[in-house]
Amino acid sequence: MSTGDSASGPVRRAGRARGRVLDELVAGLGPITAEDLAARLPEVHVSSVYRALAVLEEEGVVAHVHLGHGPAVYQLAEEADAVRHLVCDVCGLDVVVPSGVFSPLRRRLERDYGFVLDADHFAVVGRCVACARATRRHPG
Ligand SMILES: [Zn+2]
Ligand SMILES: [Zn+2]
């Protein structure tokens, strides 16, 4: 990671914010909301954190996913690519599964409907084991 460029002023500050944001994500902090990330970096302005995340996403280094109704969470693209999220609609549990789980469905949708599945931007919503069991016990 090069920080030795001769840029000055806002550009250099932006670069520093990007570096700090990336450091946190590399340290295994993600998935994390932009707001929580900003709270961990009091020396970086909140708007700089958002900008840094946007730039890092454009560069393909960082990716975000929507786990529910709340704000998106960010993590390193490399880590995000490897997993998919199944979020329980009842208790909010985030069940993280290997991305390959959706491969057969992806192939089938593309073959039969020409539809290209993108299961990495939004979590798949349903019920976790415990909540599914509880619902079954009290049908209706
Ligand atoms: Zn649940
Ligand atoms: Zn999004």
Side-chain angles (χ1 to χ4, degrees):
M1 214 174 299
S2 166
T3 49
D5 60 53
S6 58
S8 60
V11 173
R12 185 168 174 171
R13 274 206 302 278
R16 193 151 51 218
R18 201 149 75 227
R20 297 289 292 114
V21 165
L22 196 55
D23 284 348
E24 292 292 311
L25 293 175
V26 167
L29 199 64
I32 186 171
T33 65
E35 204 174 290
D36 287 348
L37 194 53
R40 291 182 63 96
L41 302 170
E43 75 278 16
V44 182
H45 195 271
V46 181
S47 64
S48 297
V49 170
Y50 277 93
R51 252 200 318 277
L53 284 170
V55 171
L56 287 166
E57 272 210 283
E58 251 169 60
E59 291 171 350
V61 179
V62 164
H64 75 266
V65 61
H66 304 269
L67 296 182
H69 299 290
V73 291
Y74 294 81
Q75 71 186 125
L76 295 178
E78 192 179 299
E79 294 168 5
D81 282 349
V83 298
R84 296 295 177 263
H85 299 267
L86 312 178
V87 173
C88 178
D89 209 19
V90 179
C91 71
L93 181 72
D94 173 21
V95 183
V96 179
V97 299
S99 56
V101 162
F102 288 106
S103 296
L105 176 62
R106 181 193 308 274
R107 275 194 297 273
R108 182 159 181 204
L109 289 176
E110 201 166 346
R111 186 191 64 212
D112 295 352
Y113 303 94
F115 186 84
V116 180
L117 178 69
D118 176 8
D120 55 353
H121 191 190
F122 293 92
V124 171
V125 175
R127 260 165 286 164
C128 72
V129 177
C131 292
R133 209 174 280 150
T135 310
R136 255 181 249 125
R137 223 177 283 141
H138 307 286

